[in-house]
Amino acid sequence: MHWTLAFRHLVVRPGRAMVLLVGYALGVAVMIVLLSVGEAMLQQSRDITLVGGGELTVLPEGVDIEALRTGGLTGMFFGIDRARFLTRQLLGGARHAGVVRAVSPMLVGKRLDLITGDSTWTVRAGADLPDAAAAVGTALDVTGGAWRSTPRDRSWTTPAAQQLYDEMDRFHLPVGRDSTWGEWHYFNVVVGPDEWWYITLLVGGDVRGDRWGGQLLVTHRRPSGDHDRIEQLVPRDAVVFDTMRADLTVGSMSITQRDGHYVLRGTVGDARLNLDITAAPNRYFPAVELRGDQVLSGYVVPVLLGSASGELCRAERCTTLRDAPAYHDHNWGVWRGVTWEWGAGRGVVHGVLYGGVIASDTSIGRGRAPFFLALVDSLGVRQVYRF
C-alpha cells in the first residue's frame, strides 16, 4: 500500500518528489560529514603527538597538523627557530612570570639514523625536559626508576651566564671550503659625545684549508671630527678561534669572555687597548642566520647595552674610561653580493636594534622586506617589528 502511494505521488507530482528526495539526500550527507569530523576530532584528541599539555601549544609556522600527527613528509623537517630564546624570554622568563607558570619544549617524531655495527636503522625519536614536562602535565608514566631533569636539562631553559654567552658568541666553521667566508667580533665604545672607537677582530678566507688569516681594524673618531683608521693583517699561524666559546686571538690582540664579562687586550699600530666590557643582563639579541642558494649570513648581538672600563691609548695619549657606553656584535657567513644596514641606540629604559641584510641571492627573504627593529628593556626583547 505504501509503495503504491509513493509511486503514484512520484508520477503525479514529480517536481515535488524530486525536491523532497534531494533534501533528504543532503541531510544524510551532512550527517555523515559531521559524524566523520567528530570521529577524527575524537581520535586526534587521544593522539599523544597532539596532546601537548598545558593550556597553549606552539607549533612551527606552516606545519600541516595532519602531517605532524602522522609523520608525513611535510612535518618531518619542521622546527621552531630560536626555540631556546622563545622559551627563556618571549614565552617564559620574568616578563610573563605572572601569566605563564611553565614552558615545556619538546621534540616529536624526529627522524634519526641508528647505526649498530654494519646495520643502519631509521627510527623516530622524541625528547622532553622532565621537570618542565611534569609542570604542564605531560610527564611520562615511569614504571620504574626516576625521570628527573639533569643540570644539563635545566641549563637549557635557565643557563648560567657563561653558558649563555658561549652559546651565542662562539665561532663557526663553514660547511664547505669557501674563500669568501668571514667572521668577526665587533665592539663600539663611546668615550664622549664627539669621540668613539670601532674595534674589529676578523677571521676570513678558506679556514678549512691553508688560505686564510686574520685582520685587526680600529677606527678612532677624534673629538675634532677626523677619523683615523688603523689596519693590520695577521697570518693564520697567529690566529686562534674557538667553536665552543667567544675567546679569540688575532695577532697581538685577544678577547676572553667569562660570565658575560669581556676582556679586550692588545695593540694595533699606535693604538693600545685595555678594556673590560660588561654586558647588561638580558640586553641581547639572539643569533639569526639567513640561508640561500649562494649566501649564508649570521648575526648575533651579545651586548646590545654594555659598559666599558679601562684605557684606550693613541701613541702617548691615553684616555681612562669608567662605565662608558659599549656595544658588541658578532657576524659570520659567506659575503658575496651582500650588503646590510644596521644600527643601535640606547636610552634610560629601552634600547633599540635595527637593520637588514640585502642579498643578490633571490632565495633569501622570499620577497619580504629585510628590515626589522627590536625593542629591548631590562627583561629582554620586548617586541620585534618588521618594516
Side-chain angles (χ1 to χ4, degrees), residues 82-85 88 155-157 159-172 243-246 257 262 284 286-287 300 302 330 332:
R82 292 168 289 281
R84 298 188 185 195
F85 175 68
R88 295 165 182 173
S155 68
W156 201 94
T157 53
Q162 181 69 46
Q163 179 188 353
L164 175 66
Y165 286 93
D166 282 343
E167 181 184 291
M168 285 193 292
D169 217 4
R170 66 181 181 86
F171 262 61
H172 304 75
T243 58
M244 297 297 291
R245 59 183 8 171
Q257 182 277 128
Y262 290 79
Y284 66 86
V300 64
H330 180 159
W332 66 93

Side-chain angles (χ1 to χ4, degrees), residues 281-295:
N282 298 321
R283 307 293 184 103
Y284 66 86
F285 190 78
V288 177
E289 209 171 63
L290 300 178
R291 291 179 177 269
D293 296 333
Q294 303 295 327
V295 172

Side-chain angles (χ1 to χ4, degrees), residues 256-267:
T256 58
Q257 182 277 128
R258 298 295 180 269
D259 298 326
H261 178 83
Y262 290 79
V263 177
L264 177 60
R265 302 277 191 273
T267 62

